[in-house]
Amino acid sequence: MRARIAAGLLALGLAPVGALPAGAQDVLPAERAFAYSVRGLDPATVEARFAIAPGYYLYRDRLKFSVASGQGPVGLAATPVLPPGKVKDDPFFGTVETYRGEVSVRLALAAPAPGGTLTVTAESQGCADLGICYPPQRQSLELTLPAAGAGPGAPVELAPAKKKWFN
């Protein structure tokens, strides 16, 4: 499966032409390489987070968020402020800022929605150090905001870690 993902990325021209890079059979699926989660911090603030696997990075300028409810788009109080990334001379996109390890972004809602249900969508793109880039990803998660006066809600994960049954 992983080798097919790598081969598919190569076919899309998202990695160097030629044979698969060494170790390409170990390429993670996007939802594991860039584990997306969200949580409601309060009735007017959502935190979106990516836990980025070792050997992978996300592009700062390819990271965008939107929020919707069952009635349609929910306004954001302001454009989300992305933390600075690390400057990288990237073989695919030139000089860019990237994130490794973890990145979290606070999304301030234009109007509080205590106990409301929202869908938070992240658009992102990243690569593996092996020389393989993923196509742009669009991932959505639904969460319920905390009630007024309640503490932050539990994180909602797109791809929860798999349980290990045996050591």
Side-chain angles (χ1 to χ4, degrees), residues 50-144:
F50 283 93
I52 305 164
Y56 295 81
Y57 55 93
L58 278 178
Y59 294 106
R60 182 179 189 264
D61 68 343
R62 307 269 174 166
L63 194 56
K64 296 178 179 40
F65 297 94
S66 60
V67 181
S69 70
Q71 291 76 41
V74 172
L76 294 175
T79 302
V81 177
L82 300 176
K86 181 178 177 186
V87 175
K88 173 182 176 56
D89 186 24
D90 188 79
F92 301 103
F93 299 111
T95 302
V96 295
E97 287 184 67
T98 61
Y99 299 118
R100 291 182 180 268
E102 182 176 285
V103 62
S104 63
V105 178
R106 289 187 178 206
L107 309 174
L109 305 176
T117 300
L118 301 176
T119 300
V120 182
T121 300
E123 296 178 36
S124 64
Q125 186 172 15
C127 297
D129 288 336
L130 294 170
I132 295 172
C133 281
Y134 293 81
Q137 302 292 308
R138 185 177 174 93
Q139 302 165 304
S140 297
L141 286 170
E142 188 175 284
L143 80 146
T144 301

